[in-house]
Amino acid sequence: MTGGRLDSEAAEAVLAAAGHRVPARRAWPGGLTAREVEVLGLLARGHSTRDIARRLVVTPKTAANHVEHIYAKLGVSSRAAATLYATQHGLLGAFASEKP
């Protein structure tokens, strides 16, 4: 558990062992994890690394590591290139209003 959130793999294992149906994992483009897609969405919407950390209840260093891993996986070196990738692969979803 990190920041009040349960590890999704552990939670799914417990649910499966209890006989509950566990949803299939989605394969994200570029080998991204679900958390990295979440970070990429915030990054593409212009949030700073510090703001991403605050929103995800992690340290700024952890958020920066996520950003670095995303850049490496996508083979990009800038926020603009990462945003373009996210847009081209439909990773941003609707531009609904967000709570600050």
Side-chain angles (χ1 to χ4, degrees):
M1 187 159 90
T2 302
R5 294 183 181 190
L6 295 174
D7 179 85
S8 62
E9 289 181 28
E12 288 175 5
V14 170
L15 289 172
H20 291 271
R21 200 165 180 205
V22 179
R25 292 197 176 276
R26 177 173 178 190
W28 296 101
L32 297 173
T33 65
R35 182 61 144 194
E36 290 168 338
V37 170
E38 185 177 13
V39 171
L40 178 56
L42 294 169
L43 187 71
R45 288 180 175 90
H47 295 284
S48 68
T49 303
R50 174 168 271 147
D51 191 41
I52 292 169
R54 185 182 56 76
R55 287 171 175 265
L56 300 180
V57 192
V58 297
T59 67
K61 178 67 175 168
T62 299
N65 286 338
H66 281 310
V67 173
E68 287 178 28
H69 291 141
I70 291 166
Y71 282 13
K73 285 182 176 182
L74 302 183
V76 301
S77 60
S78 71
R79 179 187 295 255
T83 300
L84 180 60
Y85 183 95
T87 303
Q88 290 174 332
H89 290 87
L91 299 177
L92 296 181
F95 280 96
S97 63
E98 299 176 345
K99 293 181 181 177

